[in-house]
Amino acid sequence: MRILFLTCPGRTHLYSFVPLAWALQTAGHQVRVASQLDATNLTAADIAHTGLPAVVIGDELDTSAMLAEAQQKAAAEGKASDAPPPPPPAPAGPRRRPAQREYAAEDPYAELDGLARQHFPFFNSPSVIDGAVRYARRWRPDLVIWDTMTMAYAGPVAAQAVGAAHARFVFGADALGQLRIAAQHQGDPLRAALEPILDQYGLAYNEHTLTGHWSIFPMPTWTWTPPGMDYLWMRPVPYNGPSVVPDWVLDEQERKRVCITLGVTFRELDAGASTSDLLEAVADLDAEVVVTLGRDPAELPTLPANVRAVDFVPLAALLPSCSAVVHHGGYGTFATALEHGVPQLVVPGKFGNDRFWGPYAYLPHMEDEGAAVYVSDHDQLTPDVLHDSLQRVLKDPAFGRNAARMGALSAALPTPNDSVPAIERLTAHYRS
């Protein structure tokens, strides 16, 4: 059968699909990966380098330039204002880590409406939706698998345009499903936004439009999920992208090794914790610290003697030698650390509610099981807080044992290869 994956222009999102796409391809199915392109965050070559055929849809984006322009505009507006600057906020103590069930609990409809009016239109411009539909009508896929975080308009419309089965791909947390259930008595702004789009193509909204015929969920089963949803659970298998493994990764270690990374997409969009705070926190740590912050080491501040700064190193090669990893909570880093049984110290990024689209769904149970530590939100991170958290994890061998145990539980789930027969059956059942 023919299977079309739809993703946004971000390598992290693309990489989350790759193990399943390859499992389907090696099972004999034809696979294509369609995306809008972004000059900084995703090119056609990025898709092709995964070994999967690329399909370009929509007008090209330049997200980094758009963000820089927005920041400059905000700064200019601030200078033009005659109002005195606001007083500095009073010091606050550490915040309690929110639970996933608290996401937009006061007004889920407002959060959902914001996604419907701003978030999804950004990733699903008319050119993207039309490109997805035109390609689907030419290639005639049997199944469309779409990224629930970003492609909630183009995915369902393209699938319905050709009578294909379609499935949401949910990695991190099913935050969209959570919001729609919580706001169901107030209305559904996503449906209101989608109905006129569907009408343009002679299509009608139905019960599966926004939920997919089913949802593929490559997360461990302790991940928090909203009530009443059904998932095809699948083992999270990390893919770190095309890479070369440096020799030093396998050097004999005299001290424990720690990895600090802000991921791929988040480091490019400057969404993580302060570099200077991270480096200060590990300066006197009795460990080798590998910092993968995605920039030329010459651009970094003066490095402590125990720090090795690299632009990129595949985490699947590095983390097996690590005693801990500090990261922003992204899916790729989480999945790689889980697979290799590495204790995780999480500092969620600064993009609004993104923390509810990932780390807050899996972190609480791992923390309760002694396999992870919620360090702080990014705006409350201090060198002392991170230093103390690292010392705690490195000095207590139970963290390593617990992380290995959690990794073994996740590994017991069906692999992408194991999941192919179920996907074949579901596609045959739902395809028009």
Side-chain angles (χ1 to χ4, degrees):
M1 62 187 182
R2 294 181 174 183
I3 302 164
L4 179 64
F5 284 82
L6 281 176
T7 185
C8 71
R11 281 190 287 275
T12 297
H13 290 250
L14 166 67
Y15 291 170
S16 69
F17 279 135
V18 170
L20 177 59
W22 263 107
L24 290 162
Q25 189 161 262
T26 55
H29 301 295
Q30 298 180 54
V31 173
R32 300 286 185 274
V33 177
S35 179
Q36 187 176 26
L37 302 183
D38 185 305
T40 303
N41 297 307
L42 188 73
T43 66
D46 289 326
I47 301 174
H49 287 161
T50 67
L52 300 167
V55 175
V56 178
I57 56 174
D59 301 328
E60 186 168 341
L61 280 177
D62 190 340
T63 307
S64 296
M66 292 169 66
L67 288 173
E69 182 179 346
Q71 290 170 353
Q72 290 174 358
K73 182 179 178 181
E77 290 175 350
K79 290 179 180 178
S81 172
D82 294 329
R95 296 191 192 100
R96 176 185 65 85
R97 170 185 41 74
Q100 181 68 26
R101 66 178 62 88
E102 298 171 18
Y103 177 31
E106 293 182 0
D107 195 349
Y109 181 89
E111 180 76 5
L112 196 59
D113 189 57
L115 293 175
R117 294 174 182 272
Q118 300 174 23
H119 176 79
F120 288 118
F122 177 81
F123 291 110
N124 297 260
S125 67
S127 71
V128 169
I129 296 170
D130 194 59
V133 170
R134 285 190 295 108
Y135 186 79
R137 284 177 168 167
R138 294 178 65 191
W139 193 55
R140 311 297 297 186
D142 302 289
L143 170 63
V144 176
I145 299 176
W146 48 276
D147 174 2
T148 193
M149 286 188 187
T150 59
M151 304 306 291
Y153 293 174
V157 175
Q160 288 187 208
V162 294
H166 65 111
R168 295 189 307 147
F169 190 86
V170 184
F171 63 97
D174 190 2
L176 184 58
Q178 177 184 355
L179 288 175
R180 293 187 72 239
I181 291 171
Q184 60 186 324
H185 300 301
Q186 299 172 270
D188 191 341
L190 286 175
R191 176 174 180 169
L194 256 177
E195 284 184 325
I197 298 172
L198 289 162
D199 187 60
Q200 293 175 29
Y201 297 97
L203 305 171
Y205 185 91
N206 63 58
E207 62 178 312
H208 299 298
T209 297
L210 279 166
T211 60
H213 289 113
W214 73 93
S215 299
I216 300 167
F217 202 22
M219 291 292 292
T221 51
W222 61 76
T223 306
W224 188 91
T225 56
M229 302 291 289
D230 293 322
Y231 303 100
L232 179 64
W233 291 87
M234 190 172 71
R235 174 180 169 182
V237 176
Y239 172 75
N240 301 149
S243 55
V244 176
V245 180
D247 286 344
W248 59 261
V249 168
L250 296 178
D251 286 349
E252 186 174 348
Q253 297 172 233
E254 296 181 358
R255 297 184 290 179
K256 292 180 178 180
R257 177 177 284 169
V258 172
C259 172
I260 297 180
T261 178
L262 300 184
V264 175
T265 303
F266 269 46
R267 71 185 181 188
E268 290 161 349
L269 298 179
D270 187 27
S274 158
T275 302
S276 58
D277 282 348
L278 295 174
L279 294 177
E280 184 180 344
V282 301
D284 65 348
L285 203 66
D286 185 20
E288 177 196 10
V289 181
V290 179
V291 181
T292 66
L293 293 179
R295 67 183 73 170
D296 186 336
E299 299 176 12
L300 292 172
T302 302
L303 296 176
N306 63 332
V307 172
R308 181 195 297 269
V310 295
D311 175 21
F312 174 80
V313 61
L315 292 181
L318 174 63
L319 290 191
S321 67
C322 291
S323 299
V325 57
V326 181
H327 65 102
H328 66 286
Y331 173 78
T333 310
F334 156 72
T336 309
L338 181 65
E339 180 170 274
H340 296 289
V342 181
Q344 305 184 43
L345 295 92
V346 180
V347 183
K350 68 185 180 185
F351 273 136
N353 284 325
D354 274 352
R355 53 197 172 169
F356 287 103
W357 288 72
Y360 288 171
Y362 68 77
L363 185 59
H365 185 71
M366 293 192 68
E367 203 172 19
D368 290 345
E369 294 291 322
V373 172
Y374 164 62
V375 180
S376 72
D377 285 344
H378 83 282
D379 59 344
Q380 290 203 317
L381 181 71
T382 66
D384 286 344
V385 168
L386 179 56
H387 180 273
D388 292 348
S389 296
L390 275 166
Q391 289 281 47
R392 175 185 165 204
V393 170
L394 293 177
K395 289 182 176 181
D396 186 351
F399 278 98
R401 293 194 299 269
N402 292 331
R405 176 172 53 82
M406 301 293 281
L409 291 173
S410 175
L413 286 167
T415 66
N417 283 21
D418 297 332
S419 303
V420 169
I423 292 172
E424 292 170 338
R425 288 193 301 270
L426 289 164
T427 301
H429 177 73
Y430 286 109
R431 182 180 55 212
S432 296

